[in-house]
Structure formats: structure tokens, C-alpha cells
Amino acid sequence: MPENDKQSLSMVTCTAPVNIAVIKYWGKRDEDLILPMNSSLSLTLHQDQLKTTTTVACSRNFQQDRIWLNGKEEDISNPRLQSCLQESILWRLNDFDCNGTCTSMTSCSPNDDDDDVKIWFVLVYTLSQLFGVESEQLSAVARQGSGSACRSLYGGFVQWKLGEQLDGKDSLAEQVESESYWPELRVLTLVVSAEQKSVGSTSGMHTSVETSQLLKYRADVVVPSRMEEMIRVIRERDFPAFGELTMKDSNQFHAICLDTYPPIFYLNNMSHRIISLVHRYNQYYGETRVAYTFDAGPNAVIYTLQDHLSEFVQVVRHFFPPEVSGEEFFKGLPVCSADLSEELKKDINMEPTPKGIRYIISTKAGPGPCVVKDPNHHLLGADGLPKKSVISD
Amino acid sequence: MPENDKQSLSMVTCTAPVNIAVIKYWGKRDEDLILPMNSSLSLTLHQDQLKTTTTVACSRNFQQDRIWLNGKEEDISNPRLQSCLQESILWRLNDFDCNGTCTSMTSCSPNDDDDDVKIWFVLVYTLSQLFGVESEQLSAVARQGSGSACRSLYGGFVQWKLGEQLDGKDSLAEQVESESYWPELRVLTLVVSAEQKSVGSTSGMHTSVETSQLLKYRADVVVPSRMEEMIRVIRERDFPAFGELTMKDSNQFHAICLDTYPPIFYLNNMSHRIISLVHRYNQYYGETRVAYTFDAGPNAVIYTLQDHLSEFVQVVRHFFPPEVSGEEFFKGLPVCSADLSEELKKDINMEPTPKGIRYIISTKAGPGPCVVKDPNHHLLGADGLPKKSVISD
């Protein structure tokens, strides 16, 4: 739906959410089509706390396709970008009113996430809005940029189905339950102190497919039954079962990384400590009240229920005393303050690690991508170039 | 062969080596008989650098069985100790000359190794010498105390065969090649700065058997072919193939630990850095010149060939500048000094980690257990109690 397809300039701005997998995607069965070795399942997070925004402008007056990510111009010949744009060229040829040249500007909030996964997804989504592409084609196109991002196409719990067809046409994202299905569910992202950068997820999973003997067994035998179980426990809103399976699948994904040659380490000592804290906390209560999951990096994502949120945040503050206070440390949905019993602190029995966690983002489930109506929120000006206010951000 | 079986006191002292697995043992198919889920293979290290010494004394005049480990008296009712002693009681009943009460003293060198695996093994071996038990029974009896220690029964490359019999009678240690077969092979133990203690190996492997879905696949499918390949590459003295398979199997063992629930972490950030250093060093030369393996802890054992030893030690010194110098840092078989090219240091491209490695032990392949002839080396006096000089160590 171009904003103005009678004139020479069309512009549309969209926001897209982040998704966090509870059954992990790791390994492609087809590198060209980006087809996964196993199905995966994630929760889409709320965009009030984490989102990616893209504006695409299209005009016959522009001289060349250009793209900016977080204010920095990117090389248009980047293969993954080309893969997205080639699809967009097809759309453009079908749309005579819009036969022009595009510029695009994407920005992530918060700005410190260096994963470009979300960027490709929101770009494809915004192009699809600009050119009026059907949403059922979108999942397959979004996959071209980054596989797991296609799960951001819907809100709530979303599965990316393995599919059976050779051409991958049935390897699509599908909503399992909407963002309002399990309202008590809460999500904390614990951003740990950064050390050296590890292997990127695209090359990492390629090496795993080439070298890990355990990966095929995971994909063929373990994940299919875990997918069934995960969908069941989500539908039953069974937190202990959901949390345990989430933790097991995170651990198995990192086990596969270790079984890769050379091995890939995404978890560091801080990640190990967070894992240990979660297990000790759950052990204290004799049930799984809190669960962790880790993607291709050391930051923990914590799932818990509203009832246990404030105490667990206090536990994290106690065992990882922050360097900074207030909103610099704790961002997003607020939590009540909570007192910790001496018994709990004693039972957890861990040495506090000051400054181990840089900050926390508190959020919950949220909807899929949105089109932004207010033209003030466009990231590009009428000339197709980033607005000054965006560049200086 | 009791030293003195005509008089009332019999005493024998033995030393036993340490072995380091290159195909790892992790998981029992029978907890009572200590039968493994898969075969394993190790190199027996030379006792000039690392050994465990035990003296057993037996006399009708002693009032009760007593045992000391590293100078500290142990509770004789310890289940694993009982399991060893019950077997020894059987031997005693068969040996009328020796129908008495035993005391035993064991010490490890260097003294800082807290793994009790070796202690049980040398105790059983020494008892077998005292009571004149056939060596073919020994493997099965030694397993009772600690599975992997039974591989210390022989020098050089030793496999502990899975076996097929339900009673475990064919799950035995067997020499693959003697300690003189591959004389260029060298071994470095890199002892890293200790952090918190992790899960012990006995309970860890029990939890893995209960919870890791990947372990059974490893034991049933991966290890059998790896055992064949490992024996072949050892016989061919093919270091690149030996090194690569050793590293892959170490990584897979730690992957299984991560796939355990709750997950077990033996590797820490320092271990990760050593792994990274080894891969970067090999990458620089375009071949596997150095290989790591890690057991149930963060310390690395490095295999390499004599030709590459001195340079690699210098690489370790460069990227892990030691806190102490000389023999406090580098113990065991000496190495020549070596200059590192600027190109190599630049290509490895790692930030040095001062004091990351506490010390290095340099050693090579060695023989199996030995009986010590010199009575001055007995750790017990004629009264069956530890000699004062041993206690005050």
C-alpha cells in the first residue's frame, strides 16, 4: 500500500519484532533456499521494548538503489541483500505505478544489537507492503534474508515448519497461539558483559552441518518429538514443562556447537553462572519457575510468569550487583520491588559477581510487524535520503 | 609377592601411572558392575612426572583395616573403597599365609590433584601384588573402584573394551601399542587458574545417562567407528589424524555434558582460550601439529610431536604470560627455548591472558604400574602406620 502512488514518490515505514526461539533452528538442509534441517518455535517479543524500523522510499527520480542500516550506508552488492532485492525487483516489474528506484533506511531499538538478522526481515516486510505482496508469499521470501527471522511474521508463539517439498514452498512460518494466549508469561533479556566476538550464526551453522555427527540425530530424532511436546505444553500453559523443555533445547543447541569442528562457544563464564543461578532458584522451590535460553551469544533470555518476576529480578540484582542503577540497568516493563529471604540467598549459595550483567530488558509477548501510519516517523525524507535526525541518533 | 610372608608383616609398595583418554568414557550401562556404554582409549603417561604411590601392609597384629590418602585417614566405610576391599577379602581368604588385617597409604605426585580416580586403582593393584592375584583378573577388579583407571594397568596406548557379556567379564583393559611405539609423541598438561569446582565425574556421568538424548547415539553410533579409526591412526603414527580425532572426541564429550540436565560445564573461559589458541596455531601451519583434550575439569592436556614441542610451549608462554618463572611454571621433561616469528604471533591474533595458566607439566608415554623394590620408599612403617616423613609432606 504505497502512501502516495499517484505522485512520483512512494514511501512506507514498518516496524518488526524480535523473536526468541524455545526450540532452536540450527542447520540448513538447503543453503540456497535457506531450508532448515528441523522445525523451530519461538515467542515474538513486544515491540514496545525491542523493535526494528524500516522506511522504504521508491521514486523514478532516484538515481540508484541505496540502503542504510542504523544510519550507516551499506554496500548494495551484499549477497544476502541482493537476495532480498532480487525478489523485490520481481515485485516491482509487476507494479507499473511503482517502477522506480528504492532507498531504504533501517534502525534497531535498542541500538546496540549487532545482529543483522532482524534488519533483513523488516526490509522484506516493508518492501512487501510497498509493493502490495500477498502475505502468504512473505514467509518464503523473508527466509532468503535470514531463516529464523521469518518467525517474526506473526505475534505470539510461532513455528517455522520444516516442510517436505524440495523447493521449500511449504517451509513456512505459522502462528501456534497469539500474543494474548498466555498473558502471565514474561521475558527478561540479561545482557552480559561483552567479551570477544564469537563465530556468526550463518557460518557457525554451516560448519555444524559439515562436522557435527550429533546434529543430524538432533534434527531427525530429537526435535520432531520436542516440537510436538512444546506445542502441547504451550497450549496447556504448563510453565514447568515449557521451561524445562526450553532449557533442554537451548543446552542441546549449544552442545551441537561444541560438537562442531572447530568447536563454537557462545556461552561464557557469565552465561554459565546465570544457568547455575536459574537451576538453584528452581531447586529451592522444587519446581521450574524460571527458564533460560541462549542464542548465538552469551546473553540470557529468561522466561518466567508474572507471579515470580519481581522476586527473580531481585535475585539477579543480588547475585549480579549492577554497576549502574535505575533505568540504565533495568529497562522496559517495570517490576515491583521484592525482598529476598535470607534462606533463599543462603540456599542459592553463589558468590555474587559484580557488574556481570550490564542491563536487563523486561518485556512480554507481542504482535507481528506493523505499518506505521504517522509520516513523522518515516526515517527517510522526500529526497530518499535519511533524515538528519536519524543519522545523528 | 609379599616382601616377607614368613613373618607376621607383609608389605608392598607400588606406583601407578595416570592415563589421559583420547576416546572418552562417559556413561555406564551397569552402575553396579561399572560397565561402560562405549569403549575408550587412552595414553598412559610417564611416572617420572605424574604417579600415584601406595604401600599396603598386612599383619595378624593389626587391629583394624585403615587407609590414608595423601596423608589423611579416610573412612573405611566409603562404598567405592568397600567395593575394592571386598574383592581383596576374597583374595585374603584364598591366601592363608596372609590372613591378617591391612593398612594402606597412598600419595599422589604432584600432590595437588584432587581426583581420587587414580587412588583406587593403585590400591587395587598393590593389593593384587600383595596377595599374588593374576593380572587378567585385575582389570575387572580395578574397574570396581573407578572405571577409567583400569586403563592405567598397561603402558602406552590402552583400550578399555566395551565387552559383550552381561556379567562384564570381557569389559577389560588391553594394550593397543606399548609406550615405545610412538617415541616422538609428547604430552603437556596445562593447569589453569582454578575457579569453582564442578560436578564430580561419577555423578555427572550418571546424570548424563539419565537425561542426555545425545549420549546413547554417541555411545552406540559415533564411538565404535571412532575406536577403529583411532587404533588405525595410532598404528600409522599419523599425528594430524590422531590429533583431529582426539580434539573432536574431547569436544563431543563436553557436548554431552552440556546436553545433560541440568547441564554440566567443565570447560571455562580459559579452556576456551586454549582451544582457540590450538586451532589458530594449527591453522597457521595448515596442519594439525598440536591437539587438546579435556577431562572432567578445565585443565587442558596437549598432545604434540617432539619437533613442534618447544615452539608450542613458547606460544603458550607468549599468550598466557606466567606469574611465576622457571620450574614453578614449567615442570617435567625440559624443552629447548624457541623464538616465535612476528608473523606467527600476529596471525594467531589473540589478546594475551596473564596468569591464565598456573603451570605446565611436560611428559610423554610411559609404562604401567611398577613394584618398588627399595624398602626405603615404603610409605608405611612396620607398625602399619604412615611414616612421619610422609604425613608431614
Side-chain angles (χ1 to χ4, degrees), chain A residues 43-311:
Chain A
L43 182 71
T44 296
L45 304 188
H46 204 287
Q47 294 174 53
D48 280 355
Q49 285 76 46
L50 291 160
K51 68 166 180 283
T52 311
T53 308
T54 286
T55 298
V56 176
C58 190
S59 167
R60 291 191 188 86
N61 301 333
F62 295 166
Q63 295 188 329
Q64 56 174 350
D65 288 337
R66 294 176 73 179
I67 187 166
W68 289 263
L69 304 179
N70 283 325
K72 186 171 155 282
E73 184 158 11
E74 291 293 308
D75 182 0
I76 203 84
S77 63
N78 176 316
R80 284 210 289 179
L81 191 52
Q82 275 302 318
S83 163
C84 293
L85 293 178
Q86 273 162 23
E87 296 282 348
S88 77
I89 287 164
L90 291 175
W91 302 339
R92 238 187 283 172
L93 293 175
N94 291 332
D95 183 341
F96 297 106
D97 275 342
C98 212
N99 191 358
T101 300
C102 287
T103 67
S104 151
M105 164 78 194
T106 302
S107 82
C108 300
S109 158
N111 210 0
D112 57 356
D113 195 321
D114 56 0
D115 193 348
D116 56 9
V117 161
K118 307 162 198 114
I119 292 170
W120 308 120
F121 172 72
V122 69
L123 176 60
V124 169
Y125 185 82
T126 310
L127 286 166
S128 79
Q129 295 299 311
L130 189 65
F131 300 117
V133 171
E134 297 288 316
S135 75
E136 62 193 35
Q137 292 171 251
L138 249 174
S139 196
V141 177
R143 254 189 8 238
Q144 304 298 315
S146 156
S148 61
C150 75
R151 293 183 313 240
S152 283
L153 205 50
Y154 304 103
F157 293 97
V158 182
Q159 63 171 317
W160 175 16
K161 293 172 92 169
L162 171 63
E164 289 174 359
Q165 293 177 29
L166 275 178
D167 63 5
K169 289 269 191 293
D170 60 347
S171 183
L172 301 172
E174 185 180 290
Q175 189 177 59
V176 173
E177 292 294 348
S178 84
E179 58 270 29
S180 59
Y181 185 77
W182 197 348
E184 301 84 9
L185 198 63
R186 288 292 178 275
V187 182
L188 299 170
T189 300
L190 310 185
V191 179
V192 310
S193 301
E195 272 188 45
Q196 63 259 65
K197 178 96 182 112
S198 192
V199 179
S201 62
T202 305
S203 81
M205 83 172 68
H206 176 82
T207 314
S208 290
V209 173
E210 300 277 301
T211 61
S212 168
Q213 290 196 262
L214 302 178
L215 174 56
K216 205 177 141 38
Y217 182 78
R218 162 175 166 75
D220 293 349
V221 179
V222 179
V223 174
S225 72
R226 284 190 175 176
M227 281 295 291
E228 274 185 40
E229 191 189 344
M230 186 58 90
I231 291 170
R232 185 174 54 75
V233 300
I234 287 168
R235 295 214 161 116
E236 292 170 0
R237 300 184 191 88
D238 177 349
F239 189 84
F242 169 78
E244 184 170 322
L245 190 53
T246 294
M247 292 189 275
K248 283 182 172 171
D249 206 66
S250 173
N251 295 336
Q252 187 168 90
F253 153 52
H254 292 282
I256 297 299
C257 293
L258 232 167
D259 188 51
T260 299
Y261 187 82
I264 303 167
F265 301 100
Y266 290 123
L267 306 179
N268 64 21
N269 286 356
M270 278 307 305
S271 318
H272 295 178
R273 272 180 211 159
I274 292 167
I275 288 172
S276 184
L277 180 67
V278 167
H279 285 292
R280 285 163 194 232
Y281 182 79
N282 290 336
Q283 172 127 38
Y284 177 81
Y285 285 108
E287 64 173 5
T288 299
R289 294 189 169 186
V290 172
Y292 54 77
T293 187
F294 292 82
D295 286 322
N299 297 340
V301 173
I302 301 287
Y303 289 103
T304 189
L305 296 176
Q306 175 65 39
D307 280 354
H308 309 311
L309 183 66
S310 58
E311 185 181 76

Side-chain angles (χ1 to χ4, degrees), chain B residues 159-334:
Chain B
Q159 64 171 316
W160 175 17
K161 294 171 93 169
L162 172 62
E164 289 173 1
Q165 293 177 28
L166 276 178
D167 63 5
K169 289 266 192 292
D170 60 346
S171 183
L172 301 172
E174 185 180 290
Q175 190 177 59
V176 173
E177 293 294 347
S178 84
E179 58 270 30
S180 59
Y181 185 78
W182 196 349
E184 301 83 8
L185 199 64
R186 289 292 177 276
V187 181
L188 299 170
T189 300
L190 310 185
V191 179
V192 310
S193 300
E195 272 186 46
Q196 63 260 64
K197 178 90 182 118
S198 191
V199 178
S201 63
T202 305
S203 81
M205 81 172 68
H206 176 82
T207 313
S208 289
V209 173
E210 300 277 301
T211 62
S212 169
Q213 290 196 260
L214 302 179
L215 175 56
K216 204 176 139 41
Y217 182 77
R218 163 176 165 75
D220 292 350
V221 179
V222 180
V223 173
S225 72
R226 286 191 174 175
M227 281 295 292
E228 274 185 42
E229 190 189 344
M230 186 58 90
I231 291 170
R232 184 173 56 74
V233 300
I234 288 168
R235 293 212 163 118
E236 292 170 359
R237 300 184 191 90
D238 177 349
F239 189 84
F242 169 79
E244 184 170 323
L245 190 53
T246 295
M247 291 188 276
K248 284 181 172 172
D249 206 67
S250 172
N251 295 337
Q252 188 167 91
F253 153 53
H254 292 282
I256 297 298
C257 292
L258 232 167
D259 189 49
T260 299
Y261 187 80
I264 304 167
F265 301 100
Y266 290 124
L267 306 179
N268 64 20
N269 286 355
M270 278 306 306
S271 318
H272 295 178
R273 272 180 211 156
I274 293 167
I275 288 172
S276 185
L277 180 66
V278 167
H279 284 293
R280 285 164 193 232
Y281 182 80
N282 290 335
Q283 172 128 37
Y284 177 80
Y285 284 108
E287 65 173 5
T288 299
R289 294 190 169 185
V290 172
Y292 54 77
T293 188
F294 292 83
D295 285 323
N299 297 339
V301 174
I302 301 287
Y303 289 103
T304 189
L305 296 177
Q306 175 65 42
D307 280 352
H308 309 310
L309 183 66
S310 57
E311 184 179 76
F312 187 72
V313 168
Q314 201 52 43
V315 165
V316 171
R317 279 179 184 279
H318 179 81
F319 288 99
F320 301 98
E323 188 172 18
V324 293
S325 60
E327 283 188 22
E328 272 198 86
F329 182 70
F330 193 87
K331 305 164 198 266
L333 291 178

